[in-house]
Amino acid sequence: MTLGLINANPVVHAKKERHARTDDDDFLAVDPLEIYEHVRDIRDPEHPYSLEQLSVLSEESVTVDEKLGRILITFTPTIQHCSMATVIGLCLREKLKDCFPPHFKVDIKVAPGSHANEESVCKYMRQAEVRIGLEILYSLLLDGLSWSFLQFQPYKPLTTRKDDKWEKKKIGIRNLNLKY
Amino acid sequence: MNFAEENFDLKEIQKLEGHTDRVWNLAWKPATGVGGVPAVLSSCSGDKTVRIWEQSPATGYFQCKAVLEETHTRTVRSCAWSPSGKLLATASFDATTAIWEDVGGDFECVSALEGHENEVKSVSWNASGSLLATCGRDKSVWIWEVLPHNEFECVSVLQGHTQDVKMVQWHPTMDILFSCSYDNSIKVWAEDGDTDDWHCAQTLGELNSGHTSTVWSLSFNATGDKMVSCSDDLTIKIWATDIIQLQSGNGNAPWTHISTLSGYHDRTIFSVHWSREGIICSGSADDAIRLFVGCEDDLVGGPTYKLLLKKDKAHDMDVNAVQWSSKENKCLASASDDGTIKIWELTTTSRGQKKLLP
C-alpha cells in the first residue's frame, strides 16, 4: 500500500438536496433515487467527504431496469489512477446488500473514460466473491489496507480455529461503518 | 443417445433447503447411486458448514444426513470426495482445508491442511486418491501427498499464476494437474520424470486462443482427451490433446483449443461439468443452466458443439456450481446463491412420451 494519499487535492462539491420520500412510493418497486440515498453518503477512502461531495457518485449514477431485474451503478473515481476504485466498488456492493429484492442483480462499473484501468476494475467487481463484500474487505484489512476511513478498531488476524468473535466483528462492521 | 432426434428437458426433481447462506459448491460421493447404494451428495456454503445429503432408496428423495460445522471459521468454498469415498476434503476462506472421515455415519474432522496465506478456493483429489491439490487467492497451487493414518504432506508449492487461482482439477486418468485463474489462464502442471519436481508444463492463455477474462472452472470428458473451460469472458472453450501421447508419459502432449462457444451467455459462467455421456452443463450468473453437446457431423474438422437446452431461472439467483452424478439416471445437481441445491433429471420426449434416459 502506498503511504501518501492517492489524490491529495480532491474537488469538493456542496451537498445536494435530499430526495423526499412520500407515502405514495411503492415499497416493492426499486427506485433508483432510493438506492442512491443508500450510497451517496459513503465516505471516500482517503478524505472526510462523501462520494457524492467528491462527485464520485451522482443521482445519474444509478439506473434500474425493473423488467430484467438489474441495477447498474456507475461511479467516477476522482482521478484516473485511483487505486481505491475497487474498494469503493466493494463498499457500494456491501452497502446495497439488503436494499433490493434478492432476484435483482447489481452491476457496479466505472464510468467510461474515467479510469485508466476501467476494464480491470469492472472485472474485479464481476467476481463471485465480491458478493460477500464484508469478507473481501476483511481480507484487504489483513493485507494491510488502511481502515482509517471506516473508523473502527483494527481487527486482530484470525488465530484460533473456532473464532466466534468473527461473527461479532462482522456485526461490528455492519453497525459502525458505511452508515452515516 | 441420439441428440439430434429427441427433445430434451431438465426436470426439477427436488430442491434441497437447509443452508442459511449461499451454496458455493457440491460434489457427488463416488460409488453411490449405483448398485443399490443410495446416492450421496455434499454441499458447502457461506454459512461455514458442509451438508451431506442422502437419497432414500424408498422415496427417491434426498434428506440432510449430516451437517459438518464448527470447524471452518469462514465460507467453505469447495468440497471434494476422495475416489474411494472414504474422505471428504473441504476448502475454506479461513485458509485451511479440512479432511473429514465418515466414521459409522458420523463425520469427523481428521486433519486440517494449513499453508495457504489466505482464502483456499478449490480442492481436488487425483484419480488414485494418492494426491490432493489445493489453490487459493495467494496465487499458489499446493500438492499434498496422502500418507497413512490420515497424514498429509505438502510435496510442492507451485507458483506461476499471477493472480487468484479459482479452481484446481486433476486429469481423470493421469497425475496431471490443471488450474484456472483470475489471470485468465489455465495452467497444466506435471511431474518431471527425472527430478520428481512439479513444474508448469503448459499455459493456455490468450495467445493460445484462451480466455480473455477470469477462468472459473474446467472439466474433462470421460476419456480424458478433451477438456471444457468456462469464463467471465462469457465463453466456453473446448480443448483437446492426443490421448495416446498423454498416456505414454513422454511428457509432451500439449493441449490445443478446438472450439469456442460464444453468444450463449450474457453473464459470467461460474461452473462447467462434462458428463460421462458427453453432455456439457454450464451454470451461470444469469440464474440459468445450459446443456451443450458435440456433434461429429463434420468430416473435415472435429466435432462442433451446440446448445441442447437452456433452463431459464433454474435458480432465483446466480448458479455457482453444477455437477452430473455418476448414477444411472442422469441426475444433475446445481448450487446457487439463493441458498438451495436442486436435483434435476434429464428426460427426453420422443413421440410424445416422456422417458428417462437409459
Side-chain angles (χ1 to χ4, degrees):
Chain A
M1 287 304 299
T2 55
L3 293 175
L5 294 178
I6 305 297
N7 182 9
N9 297 303
V11 177
V12 183
H13 303 264
K15 281 190 182 181
K16 214 181 160 179
E17 200 182 290
R18 307 269 129 168
H19 164 69
R21 292 184 52 190
T22 68
D23 287 339
D24 293 339
D25 288 351
D26 180 357
F27 65 91
L28 288 175
V30 178
D31 177 8
L33 287 177
E34 195 179 320
I35 302 262
Y36 182 62
E37 284 297 310
H38 285 283
V39 297
R40 68 196 295 182
D41 293 325
I42 292 175
R43 193 162 292 194
D44 179 82
E46 292 189 312
H47 305 282
Y49 298 108
S50 72
L51 295 180
E52 176 181 47
Q53 288 174 302
L54 295 173
S55 288
V56 174
L57 288 175
S58 69
E59 278 181 13
E60 290 72 38
S61 298
V62 184
T63 54
V64 175
D65 183 329
E66 291 252 11
K67 200 170 139 210
L68 278 179
R70 305 272 159 97
I71 297 166
L72 171 63
I73 301 183
T74 308
F75 70 98
T76 308
T78 53
I79 52 166
Q80 278 282 333
H81 294 277
C82 176
S83 58
M84 288 288 155
T86 49
V87 175
I88 293 172
L90 287 170
C91 289
L92 281 168
R93 193 68 211 245
E94 189 54 29
K95 191 70 169 71
L96 288 174
K97 229 161 79 152
D98 302 314
C99 300
F100 54 90
H103 66 276
F104 265 77
K105 297 198 185 290
V106 179
D107 290 318
I108 298 176
K109 295 187 181 177
V110 166
S114 67
H115 195 271
N117 294 312
E118 181 184 322
E119 212 4 77
S120 30
V121 175
C122 292
K123 176 187 176 187
Y124 185 91
M125 294 308 301
R126 285 195 302 267
Q127 287 183 99
E129 294 90 332
V130 156
R131 290 169 281 162
I132 46 169
L134 262 181
E135 294 204 44
I136 301 271
L137 290 170
Y138 181 66
S139 300
L140 291 173
L141 167 71
L142 290 177
D143 285 351
L145 173 71
S146 161
W147 285 112
S148 58
F149 77 105
L150 285 182
Q151 297 174 349
F152 72 98
Q153 299 303 315
Y155 287 160
K156 284 184 297 189
L158 285 173
T159 49
T160 55
R161 313 271 346 275
K162 296 186 185 194
D163 189 356
D164 58 2
K165 292 193 201 89
W166 161 240
E167 263 310 315
K168 293 187 190 141
K169 286 169 185 171
K170 199 159 95 172
I171 295 164
I173 290 189
R174 246 190 259 280
N175 290 339
L176 292 174
N177 305 294
L178 309 179
K179 187 177 176 179
Y180 300 90
Chain B
M1 202 181 294
N2 191 334
F3 295 121
E5 289 181 10
E6 317 205 31
N7 291 322
F8 290 86
D9 187 30
L10 212 52
K11 190 176 124 195
E12 184 183 324
I13 300 302
Q14 195 183 349
K15 180 161 82 169
L16 309 181
E17 290 172 296
H19 279 297
T20 56
D21 201 319
R22 55 179 39 91
V23 187
W24 281 107
N25 199 231
L26 38 78
W28 292 95
K29 183 173 172 181
T32 64
V34 292
V37 180
V40 173
L41 177 71
S42 68
S43 62
C44 57
S45 165
D47 64 12
K48 304 175 219 164
T49 73
V50 177
R51 281 177 179 252
I52 312 293
W53 312 82
E54 191 175 279
Q55 188 176 35
S56 153
T59 62
Y61 282 105
F62 284 82
Q63 279 177 313
C64 184
K65 199 177 100 159
V67 180
L68 313 183
E69 56 191 347
E70 302 201 347
T71 295
H72 285 302
T73 53
R74 288 181 63 189
T75 291
V76 188
R77 181 65 179 86
S78 171
C79 53
W81 297 90
S82 65
S84 64
K86 291 204 182 88
L87 300 173
L88 176 69
T90 59
S92 168
F93 282 4
D94 66 10
T96 71
T97 304
I99 311 291
W100 306 79
E101 193 174 0
D102 187 349
V103 184
D106 282 325
F107 282 80
E108 204 180 287
C109 180
V110 296
S111 194
L113 311 182
E114 293 176 357
H116 279 287
E117 284 170 27
N118 43 48
E119 295 89 27
V120 189
K121 304 278 173 108
S122 176
V123 61
S124 175
W125 300 82
N126 71 342
S128 62
S130 62
L131 297 170
L132 188 68
T134 58
C135 67
R137 185 166 70 88
D138 61 7
K139 307 171 196 164
S140 65
V141 173
W142 289 55
I143 299 183
W144 309 79
E145 198 179 339
V146 184
L147 303 171
H149 310 299
N150 296 322
E151 293 282 319
F152 292 79
E153 191 184 298
C154 173
V155 296
S156 195
V157 177
L158 304 169
Q159 312 281 3
H161 280 296
T162 55
Q163 302 275 10
D164 185 357
V165 190
K166 302 293 190 187
M167 194 222 201
V168 278
Q169 182 70 41
W170 287 95
H171 186 268
T173 57
M174 306 287 295
D175 280 348
I176 300 171
L177 183 66
F178 294 73
S179 60
C180 54
S181 164
Y182 184 81
D183 67 12
N184 308 351
S185 75
I186 296 166
K187 280 187 182 286
V188 185
W189 310 90
E191 210 172 358
D192 188 343
D194 302 326
T195 62
D196 284 347
D197 275 339
W198 288 84
H199 68 283
C200 179
Q202 197 183 4
T203 298
L204 303 173
E206 295 181 51
L207 297 175
N208 320 76
S209 306
H211 290 289
T212 53
S213 190
T214 309
V215 189
W216 280 100
S217 173
L218 55 86
S219 174
F220 295 91
N221 66 348
T223 47
D225 67 325
K226 290 201 186 64
M227 169 174 72
V228 60
S229 61
C230 65
S231 165
D232 177 60
D233 69 5
L234 313 180
T235 72
I236 284 174
K237 286 182 185 280
I238 317 286
W239 310 81
T241 191
D242 182 333
I243 194 68
I244 312 287
Q245 267 216 300
L246 189 78
Q247 285 165 344
S248 74
N250 70 1
N252 188 24
W255 290 80
T256 54
H257 166 266
I258 60 169
S259 184
T260 293
L261 292 158
S262 58
Y264 296 100
H265 301 82
D266 65 347
R267 291 186 81 88
T268 307
I269 312 150
F270 287 123
S271 177
V272 73
H273 196 235
W274 212 325
S275 80
R276 304 191 76 77
E277 291 72 30
I279 308 174
I280 294 168
C281 178
S282 76
S284 166
D286 67 355
D287 314 344
I289 289 173
R290 292 169 178 77
L291 302 184
F292 298 88
V293 286
C295 323
E296 300 268 1
D297 301 329
D298 199 341
L299 296 171
V300 180
T304 54
Y305 293 85
K306 65 174 179 78
L307 179 75
L308 188 66
L309 77 86
K310 178 188 177 192
K311 195 75 181 176
D312 257 316
K313 280 289 156 197
H315 281 274
D316 295 331
M317 293 168 77
D318 293 20
V319 181
N320 292 320
V322 289
Q323 197 163 98
W324 295 99
S325 75
S326 48
K327 58 183 283 203
E328 296 116 349
N329 285 358
K330 309 300 177 293
C331 268
L332 176 73
S334 60
S336 166
D337 265 10
D338 63 14
T340 72
I341 297 142
K342 286 193 179 181
I343 310 292
W344 310 83
E345 221 153 52
L346 187 63
T347 61
T348 172
T349 319
S350 178
R351 275 181 258 119
Q353 285 176 327
K354 260 205 166 70
K355 68 175 193 280
L356 294 177
L357 297 166

